[in-house]
Amino acid sequence: MRRIFMNATALAATLLLPAGPANAHPHVWITMRSDVVFNDKAEVAGIAVEWTFDDGYTQMALEGLDTNGDGVYSQSELEPLTQENLKSLKDYNYFVVPRVNGKIVAITDPTEYGQIYSNGKLELHFTVPLAAPADPRKAEFLYKIYDPEFFIAMDYIQEDPVGVVGDLPKGCHLEVKPVVSDQQLDQTRQMLSSKGADWKPPEDEDFGGMFAQPALVMCSK
């Protein structure tokens, strides 16, 4: 396992496969926030994400990147890591799953991406455009951000977890559903323990999505 956290994810998926999904647990932790990006027609045009990595991954990822030895990780020094991360994330749709009326909608490659190391924390940010804008006044729009194999735990920050870039349509507001309760987790674990290694969740959901907090744009009709 080197600097690319997605390599670790692929490795974990291989290791966890014989034991089944009930034994999966995270090995990397990310705290995050996100913004819903609106265009000038008050349609959802994309999702902007900000991830802060845990200390263990940060130290592994930064190994050998301070090429001039000055103790500062410049944008140029972090650029190869950013490119490697995004290239690896592409196969997983960048961990961003938007839905319109319950159906997953397509996204395109990230824009406005970058990575910084500050105050002992490594942070990655990028914006994932929707392939086609969605109007939340006409159809329910929600999204989840998560690792489908649950190797990486992704939790929203407590304050200001979700925001807006652009103008939120009149009569609409943002809502982040609560973290899954311990009781719900126990029920899910019990259900998973009875399933085989080849079991998959229904309704085009996946394993990691069962534990992810949905963020919604709620509009009055």
Side-chain angles (χ1 to χ4, degrees):
M1 186 168 66
R2 282 291 294 167
R3 291 194 297 263
I4 310 172
F5 64 87
M6 284 304 303
N7 281 353
T9 304
L11 175 61
T14 301
L15 294 176
L16 291 169
L17 184 59
N23 290 330
H25 57 280
H27 290 71
V28 177
W29 284 262
I30 291 174
T31 55
M32 65 176 177
R33 68 173 310 281
S34 62
D35 289 299
V36 182
V37 180
F38 288 92
N39 62 21
D40 56 7
K41 296 180 181 179
E43 301 167 323
V44 178
I47 305 297
V49 302
E50 300 173 12
W51 296 347
T52 301
F53 296 98
D54 67 69
D55 293 343
Y57 170 75
T58 294
Q59 295 308 311
M60 179 193 70
L62 293 176
E63 183 180 352
L65 292 184
D66 184 15
T67 54
N68 61 9
D70 65 353
V72 177
Y73 294 90
S74 66
Q75 286 293 308
S76 61
E77 289 172 325
L78 291 174
E79 178 66 16
L81 175 63
T82 302
Q83 293 293 340
E84 289 175 349
N85 284 162
L86 293 178
K87 181 179 178 181
S88 299
L89 280 164
K90 184 172 184 176
D91 290 338
Y92 293 80
N93 288 320
Y94 307 100
F95 289 176
V96 179
V97 183
R99 294 175 181 264
V100 173
N101 281 344
K103 300 296 183 181
I104 296 176
V105 296
I107 58 177
T108 62
D109 291 340
T111 61
E112 301 177 22
Y113 52 81
Q115 200 152 196
I116 62 172
Y117 178 71
S118 177
N119 297 320
K121 301 293 184 181
L122 183 63
E123 301 175 9
L124 173 67
H125 65 269
F126 57 90
T127 297
V128 176
L130 301 187
D135 191 337
R137 296 161 296 187
K138 297 179 180 179
E140 179 189 71
F141 179 82
L142 69 81
Y143 63 96
K144 295 180 180 180
I145 301 174
Y146 61 91
D147 172 10
E149 286 149 0
F150 203 50
F151 182 77
I152 301 172
M154 310 183 74
D155 298 312
Y156 274 110
I157 60 175
Q158 294 297 313
E159 295 184 12
D160 189 31
V162 175
V164 171
V165 175
D167 294 325
L168 188 68
K170 186 177 180 179
C172 300
H173 68 277
L174 298 181
E175 181 176 328
V176 180
K177 294 296 185 180
V179 176
V180 176
S181 69
D182 290 341
Q183 181 180 3
Q184 290 172 311
L185 282 175
D186 288 340
Q187 291 172 345
T188 300
R189 291 190 183 103
Q190 291 174 13
M191 180 273 293
L192 291 174
S193 67
S194 67
K195 306 297 183 181
D198 59 348
W199 177 83
K200 294 183 179 180
E203 300 179 358
D204 72 357
E205 187 67 274
D206 48 40
F207 179 62
M210 297 173 67
F211 302 93
Q213 287 180 261
L216 303 87
V217 181
M218 306 288 289
C219 298
S220 57
K221 302 300 183 181

